[in-house]
Amino acid sequence: MASLNYLQYLEEYEPDLGEDNESLASLETDDGEDHPPEKIIAEITVKNGNKWYLVKWKDCPVLRSSWEGGELFDDCPKVWDAWLVEKQQQAEGKSKPLDVAAFNKAVLNLEVAESQRRALRRLRRKVKRVLSSFET
């Protein structure tokens, strides 16, 4: 996912994702726990007219939020109702909408940094193995 732009991804692959009602983000988190949706923080409409919602997951950092289809909220009416109130506040200028482009950039930066940390850990392990072979 290093260079993934979520909006482009959803527009390109959205038909394939429609069959999967369970979010990968809710199933696979850093701590291995299942996290329910906490709130909706943004909404987009893709080329085919379908809407996607950026979901902040409970007990997860905002940069671990993910784009989900509306069917997720069938079981979470409070989250959905809170989003409708938030959208109304945004329409009235009482609340500022999330800058999705800035969010995507922050997610990309996080993913790049994590990838670099993993590469550095692999390199350190490799160096340790090489050095340990010289010691024996």
Side-chain angles (χ1 to χ4, degrees):
M1 273 209 261
S3 64
L4 179 66
N5 177 316
Y6 290 107
L7 297 176
Q8 290 174 343
Y9 178 84
L10 287 174
E11 288 180 2
E12 186 172 344
Y13 297 105
E14 189 274 332
D16 296 334
L17 293 175
E19 298 171 6
D20 185 10
N21 290 339
E22 281 196 281
S23 163
L24 292 178
S26 68
L27 299 175
E28 300 174 8
T29 59
D30 291 344
D31 61 8
E33 297 293 319
D34 186 27
H35 296 274
E38 181 178 316
K39 65 181 180 175
I40 300 170
I41 57 178
E43 176 181 317
I44 60 168
T45 303
V46 292
K47 289 179 184 176
N48 65 3
N50 287 347
K51 292 186 184 228
W52 288 86
Y53 304 91
L54 187 56
V55 176
K56 159 77 173 78
W57 301 97
K58 186 172 179 161
D59 300 323
C60 292
V62 72
L63 290 179
R64 293 289 183 212
S65 300
S66 62
W67 292 100
E68 305 294 333
E71 67 277 351
L72 174 72
F73 309 107
D74 292 344
D75 297 330
C76 309
K78 289 180 182 179
V79 172
W80 181 252
D81 292 343
W83 173 243
L84 295 177
V85 169
E86 174 63 21
K87 276 180 47 172
Q88 183 63 37
Q89 289 178 340
Q90 289 176 10
E92 295 170 359
K94 295 178 182 177
S95 179
K96 186 177 176 185
L98 177 76
D99 182 343
V100 174
F103 173 82
N104 284 340
K105 184 176 181 181
V107 169
L108 176 62
N109 290 340
L110 177 66
E111 290 172 347
V112 167
E114 288 175 348
S115 176
Q116 289 171 341
R117 282 193 296 272
R118 284 191 300 272
L120 183 58
R121 281 194 300 261
R122 284 192 302 271
L123 180 61
R124 285 180 182 157
R125 284 193 296 265
K126 188 181 263 189
V127 167
K128 283 182 180 181
R129 280 194 305 268
V130 169
L131 292 176
S132 69
S133 69
F134 286 117
E135 292 174 354
T136 57

